Amino acid sequence: MKRLILAHIDVSHHGDLEGHREEARSRFSGEVEVARELVPYPL
Amino acid sequence: MHFTFLGSSGAVPARERDTTSIVFVGDGDAVLVDCGGSPMQKLLLAGVAPETLRRVVITHIHADHVYGLPSLVETLYLLGRRTPLRLACREEHEGALRALLGVFRQLERPEIFPIVWEPVPARERFALESLGSFAVSASPNAHGRMPNIAVRFEPSGGPAVVYSSDTEPCEAVVALARGAHTLIHEATFSERRPKGVGVHSTAAEAGEIAARAG
């Protein structure tokens, strides 16, 4: 697994998305990002 | 080929984030996973030609994942679609989705394009019928009493992408994601605060699942 994208994020956390990303990064050493809307992710 | 988030929020949308849905765009075809918001507008904003939509996957029937479906069907019809649209869902949900579309008589009006139902059983790595640019498979996840599926998209010769849909940490999602390049995992909650309503994962748990999927 190279990349984790976080989605379905509760509205109560929208003000601290970097905190969400860091929380996931504490458990996964690959690339972590919060989903960006209407931005194409190439395959 | 690419995928695009049409939304990324939990059940409640916000000014800058709509409820979670994702479109996978191939060579002349597209597959939409879940259907919130104003799906036609979102497809257009994402640069997806509506007529290229071949299949919609409804992972489960909580409102934020399905409420845009009648709007999508109606607007595709109004734009002149005549070709069938495949609709994949848990087999337990076909009746409810038929009822939802039935409110608007979308299954009985002869002028509306046919819906081809694709019931998905609660079986790990169930392969949907092959069509278009992606091999699509599904596994049941763990969303409390709500039947639900995680889905895997595999373009020919390209990197696989897995979407967990709504779930607590789940072995079947780990297995489905094994060997994939990207895991899109729900992170409704955070370990920084008590969990809210529903059976969901934290960002930390999403990270653990990604790590375990290797």
Side-chain angles (χ1 to χ4, degrees):
Chain A
M1 185 64 59
K2 304 294 184 192
R3 177 172 61 178
L4 170 64
I5 303 176
L6 304 175
H8 202 275
I9 298 168
D10 187 76
V11 67
S12 65
H13 296 296
H14 288 191
D16 186 18
L17 294 173
E18 183 58 25
H20 233 56
R21 195 173 74 87
E22 286 303 317
E23 183 177 316
R25 283 190 65 195
S26 72
R27 311 294 172 90
F28 175 60
S29 59
E31 180 186 345
V32 179
E33 64 176 284
V34 171
R36 294 168 289 148
E37 297 187 8
L38 301 175
V39 173
Y41 288 78
L43 288 170
Chain B
M1 289 193 275
H2 65 275
F3 64 91
T4 300
F5 289 91
L6 305 186
S8 61
S9 184
V12 179
R15 190 178 64 179
E16 295 180 354
R17 290 185 182 270
D18 202 352
T19 54
T20 297
S21 69
I22 311 165
V23 63
F24 288 82
V25 181
D27 293 325
D29 62 330
V31 180
L32 179 63
V33 182
D34 290 335
C35 200
S38 177
M40 181 59 69
Q41 183 201 33
K42 290 292 175 60
L43 288 170
L44 294 171
L45 287 171
V48 179
E51 65 271 18
T52 64
L53 198 60
R54 302 277 297 275
R55 170 184 275 151
V56 177
V57 178
I58 298 296
T59 60
H60 64 296
I61 56 170
H62 279 152
D64 54 312
H65 293 260
V66 71
Y67 74 99
L69 185 62
S71 169
L72 177 68
V73 170
E74 194 73 28
T75 50
L76 286 171
Y77 156 66
L78 291 170
L79 288 172
R81 186 186 184 102
R82 295 295 177 265
T83 55
L85 178 68
R86 289 172 176 265
L87 181 48
C89 63
R90 281 287 296 254
E91 57 190 1
E92 300 94 323
H93 294 157
E94 181 177 334
L97 292 174
R98 283 182 179 275
L100 177 64
L101 298 178
V103 170
F104 305 96
R105 299 183 58 248
Q106 291 172 335
L107 299 178
E108 58 190 83
R109 279 187 269 159
E111 66 273 23
I112 291 188
F113 57 87
I115 300 286
V116 178
W117 295 89
E118 296 186 293
V120 177
R123 188 187 316 156
E124 288 199 28
R125 302 206 71 151
F126 175 80
L128 274 66
E129 186 177 325
S130 180
L131 79 159
S133 302
F134 302 100
V136 183
S137 54
S139 291
N141 60 17
H143 193 35
R145 289 184 297 175
M146 171 59 73
N148 195 2
I149 48 173
V151 287
R152 179 179 176 120
F153 282 75
E154 206 144 9
S156 178
V161 177
V162 170
Y163 168 49
S164 69
S165 188
D166 294 13
T167 186
E168 62 185 350
C170 176
E171 287 303 315
V173 175
V174 174
L176 189 67
R178 197 154 282 138
H181 176 276
T182 297
L183 173 62
I184 301 164
H185 201 286
E186 74 120 294
T188 306
F189 299 132
S190 163
E191 66 177 9
R192 307 186 300 281
R193 292 187 214 164
K195 282 189 174 183
V197 175
V199 181
H200 292 286
S201 300
T202 65
E205 289 168 337
E208 287 172 8
I209 295 298
R212 291 180 55 209

